[in-house]
Amino acid sequence: MANNQNQTPLFFSGSSHTALAQEIVDELGIPPGRVALTQFPDGETGVEILEDVRGRTVYVLQSTALNPNFYLVELLIIVDALKRASAKEIIAIVPYFGYCRQDRKDKPGAPITAKLIANMLSTSGISQLITVDLHAGQLEGFFEIPVDHLHCQSLLAKEAFKLFGNQPFVVVAPDLGSVKIVEKMAKLTSSDVVVIEKQRLSSESVVMRLIGNVANKNVLLVDDICSTASTICAAAELCKRENAKQVVAAVTHGICTGDAIQKIESSTLSSLILTNSVPVFNRFSASSKIAVVSIASLVANTIKKT
Ligand code: R5P
């Protein structure tokens, strides 16, 4: 068997987030790995790895948001192609782990998609996963492979301090599920924590009750996901009703579906800070309130360390 002496890792990207992939390879100072991604006439995905990966460590970036089913299958097929081409180890970088919110059987007849997808990734041939702000820390335990779980709160905190002009703020959890990342943010920024109790009436609407005091204080709402934006907009409204000064939100994953951008624009939020874990394209150009911070260095530094 030929022994590939080249120890430089190769970095491939699925089609979900080529902009982030480019930023990361630029930081690493390596060219992107060449892969042909095509679609057969019947809609199936075609993949051809155009590099010699035998005996090499390879990274594959794919964010499973916006079109999760397609990107997930594309990732699995890329991994299969790499495995069959004798890559030594395959490290998947999934900045947004789709299907993560269905992480328990909350009613009879419900699936646990987070576990299902974790199983699919664990058995696909991936030897390690790098991911960012999982919906719940315990999801790491769903994987049978090592997980490098990165956190964005220090990136988001830097931007928040800029927006608040270095004035102090309280960190608000828009629901009990976000308390863990809120505590992380509060610790990083030496801020107090206030919690909102949220009850979801439908996927589009929520009712909320504030536990704590935000009167005459700047508020930083912290969450992992902004999907329909119902949660952060309702939380901002509640904080304003309770006489908060400026309300800014810092959310890792900007899925922002449907009319989320318009909701954000017409909300009482003064700004929303997102990362580019989910592709940005020009999706946010309709809102002057959205600022995006890049996770490229965070990921590139992790690759350098590993
Ligand atoms: C919920 O558990 C999450 O942390 C987010 O609060 C939620 O996914 C946000 O969804 P939406 O933007 O649709 O309210």
Side-chain angles (χ1 to χ4, degrees), residues 147-253:
V147 177
D148 237 318
H149 187 185
L150 313 184
H151 299 285
C152 288
Q153 281 65 50
S154 57
L155 287 172
L156 295 166
K158 261 192 217 148
E159 192 64 26
F161 274 122
K162 265 196 239 160
L163 291 169
F164 284 123
N166 286 322
Q167 295 299 305
F169 49 82
V170 285
V171 181
V172 175
D175 60 27
L176 299 177
S178 50
V179 168
K180 277 272 180 285
I181 56 167
V182 162
E183 279 172 349
K184 201 177 285 289
M185 179 65 93
K187 206 165 166 195
L188 270 169
T189 59
S190 309
S191 310
D192 291 333
V193 174
V194 168
V195 174
I196 292 175
E197 190 189 44
K198 173 176 95 175
Q199 207 191 331
R200 195 173 266 287
L201 302 178
S202 72
S203 59
E204 293 274 339
S205 83
V206 290
V207 283
M208 294 182 154
R209 186 170 70 95
L210 193 79
I211 306 168
N213 179 19
V214 296
N216 302 315
K217 295 175 184 170
N218 286 319
V219 162
L220 181 66
L221 286 164
V222 175
D223 209 346
D224 60 332
I225 297 170
C226 172
S227 182
T228 64
S230 313
T231 302
I232 48 160
C233 292
E237 185 65 44
L238 177 61
C239 291
K240 274 295 195 189
R241 272 205 311 275
E242 299 283 333
N243 298 317
K245 290 204 293 202
Q246 202 186 341
V247 183
V248 170
V251 180
T252 306
H253 307 294

